[in-house]
Amino acid sequence: QQPVQSPQAVILREGEDAVINCSSSKALYSVHWYRQKHGEAPVFLMILLKGGEQMRHEKISASFNEKKQQSSLYLTASQLSYSGTYFCGTPPTGGFKTIFGAGTRLFVKA
Amino acid sequence: DVKVTQSSRYLVKRTGEKVFLECVQDMDHENMFWYRQDPGLGLRLIYFSYDVKMKEKGDIPEGYSVSREKKERFSLILESASTNQTSMYLCASGLGRNSPLHFGNGTRLTVT
């Protein structure tokens, strides 16, 4: 079951904040976040584990609410380099394969 | 740095042709994956492998098969290419469940 991401797209001015959400209908063991810039491969940002701490990657942080089966990615004081498509991925409990959401397209303009 | 190399960046094939997409990783990862990426649908898992000669179907395996004869190499095979298989194909590798995936640069396949 593919996790659901929202919003589908967001446009920001440099310096503004944004939140990207990822939710699943199934119990989550962990959530992975990736960013893909145009024409490039997806690049790993962070993994959040059940019972783990909030994680950070530069000025991007994320939280994981196991009870609500959702994760949120917080982009603070966005920079032009944050533009791209953000994917959340959810491995099933006990499994290896990572199922990704449809992605959130983020565009930061000067 | 982990390197995942896909053999072709762009590929154009005719309907009915047999197509091989090759992927090689250099970090001794047990797990390898094939995804296809289509606008609005994100990354959808076709097949994955957790060991040599071991494979499991992902969410959209129909029309595809895979081969993993060596740990570093994972091949995706389209037995008889069809136009609805026109897509970007991404290979990835990883160590385990809580490890990040490392992606190749992708192969954009066009089936005419």
Side-chain angles (χ1 to χ4, degrees):
Chain A
Q1 200 82 17
Q2 196 175 30
V4 177
Q5 288 186 234
S6 63
Q8 288 185 329
V10 59
I11 300 174
L12 298 173
R13 288 198 179 275
E14 214 173 354
E16 290 182 336
D17 301 339
V19 180
I20 299 172
N21 298 304
C22 172
S23 64
S24 174
S25 58
K26 294 189 173 183
L28 297 177
Y29 178 84
S30 63
V31 178
H32 302 208
W33 285 98
Y34 292 77
R35 176 172 62 203
Q36 183 181 31
K37 298 197 176 184
H38 183 68
E40 298 181 10
V43 173
F44 168 76
L45 292 176
M46 63 189 82
I47 289 178
L48 295 104
L49 301 177
K50 195 173 177 179
E53 305 174 352
Q54 186 175 32
M55 299 297 291
R56 293 190 68 86
H57 172 84
E58 298 172 351
K59 287 189 178 178
I60 300 172
S61 62
S63 63
F64 179 22
N65 187 322
E66 300 142 30
K67 287 185 180 176
K68 291 185 177 179
Q69 295 166 193
Q70 66 185 34
S71 176
S72 295
L73 191 72
Y74 307 95
L75 297 98
T76 306
S78 58
Q79 305 167 15
L80 296 175
S81 61
Y82 286 2
S83 293
T85 302
Y86 289 78
F87 293 98
C88 68
T90 57
T93 303
F96 291 100
K97 63 182 185 180
T98 301
I99 305 299
F100 288 93
T104 295
R105 295 178 66 182
L106 180 80
F107 180 69
V108 180
K109 55 184 182 180
Chain B
D1 262 2
V2 176
K3 193 155 187 181
V4 179
T5 304
Q6 294 184 230
S7 53
S8 305
R9 191 83 166 107
Y10 299 95
L11 214 51
V12 179
K13 295 291 181 181
R14 293 195 179 275
T15 302
E17 277 192 83
K18 190 168 186 174
V19 182
F20 293 86
L21 302 183
E22 307 284 347
C23 175
V24 177
Q25 51 98 0
D26 66 357
M27 280 302 291
D28 206 34
H29 286 165
E30 286 87 6
N31 304 320
M32 295 188 74
F33 307 80
W34 275 107
Y35 291 90
R36 67 175 278 178
Q37 183 172 22
D38 300 288
L41 297 177
L43 303 166
R44 291 183 293 165
L45 183 63
I46 305 171
Y47 266 98
F48 71 103
S49 168
Y50 51 89
D51 203 350
V52 175
K53 296 191 187 295
M54 305 302 287
K55 61 187 179 186
E56 280 200 27
K57 293 179 181 179
D59 295 327
I60 51 165
E62 298 79 19
Y64 303 94
S65 62
V66 290
S67 171
R68 193 164 180 204
E69 297 296 319
K70 293 184 178 182
K71 193 174 187 179
E72 67 270 18
R73 188 179 296 269
F74 192 35
S75 302
L76 180 69
I77 303 155
L78 288 69
E79 294 290 341
S80 177
S82 63
T83 54
N84 63 12
Q85 292 178 310
T86 291
S87 186
M88 172 67 85
Y89 290 87
L90 289 164
C91 174
S93 72
L95 265 177
R97 186 171 53 189
N98 294 329
S99 300
L101 295 183
H102 300 268
F103 285 86
N105 283 327
T107 296
R108 184 165 292 282
L109 172 69
T110 301
V111 183
T112 62

